Amino acid sequence: MPAELHEIEAAELEGVKFKFLTNPKSNLADEEGRVKAIELEIMALGEPDSSGVVVRSQRVKPKLWSLIPLSLHYHRNRMWSS
């Protein structure tokens, strides 16, 4: 998702962790149906295409994934994760 530099810096100060070359695969819920973790596929850059353009396609690395545990906090009408 596009963002300006000051937005990225503010998010990092709030504890946001950026994961690059990942693709959400599934959300794992607790007994009450709230998301407790997100399963991510690990991606890799493919080879440059034959047109000479330096754009590379992404591909999934077989059998590689990451699990991000979530801890949600509620305060009045706000919700955030840590």
Side-chain angles (χ1 to χ4, degrees):
M1 182 173 210
E4 294 189 21
L5 182 57
H6 72 276
E7 294 171 314
I8 296 169
E9 291 170 346
E12 289 175 329
L13 287 173
E14 292 179 15
V16 172
K17 303 271 190 289
F18 294 97
K19 298 282 186 182
F20 298 99
L21 288 174
T22 58
N23 186 40
K25 185 175 178 185
S26 64
N27 294 324
L28 306 174
D30 63 13
E31 305 78 36
E32 297 175 14
R34 290 182 282 199
V35 176
K36 67 176 184 176
I38 300 173
E39 184 179 12
L40 301 173
E41 292 177 317
I42 307 297
M43 309 293 283
L45 291 177
E47 295 299 316
D49 63 12
S50 60
S51 68
V53 179
V54 190
V55 176
R56 293 183 177 201
S57 62
Q58 296 181 7
R59 59 181 170 76
V60 176
K61 288 185 174 181
K63 298 184 182 180
L64 284 180
W65 54 273
S66 175
L67 192 64
I68 299 176
L70 299 178
S71 169
L72 297 179
H73 302 279
Y74 295 88
H75 181 268
R76 296 185 187 172
N77 295 330
R78 294 176 149 178
M79 177 180 69
W80 65 91
S81 66
S82 63

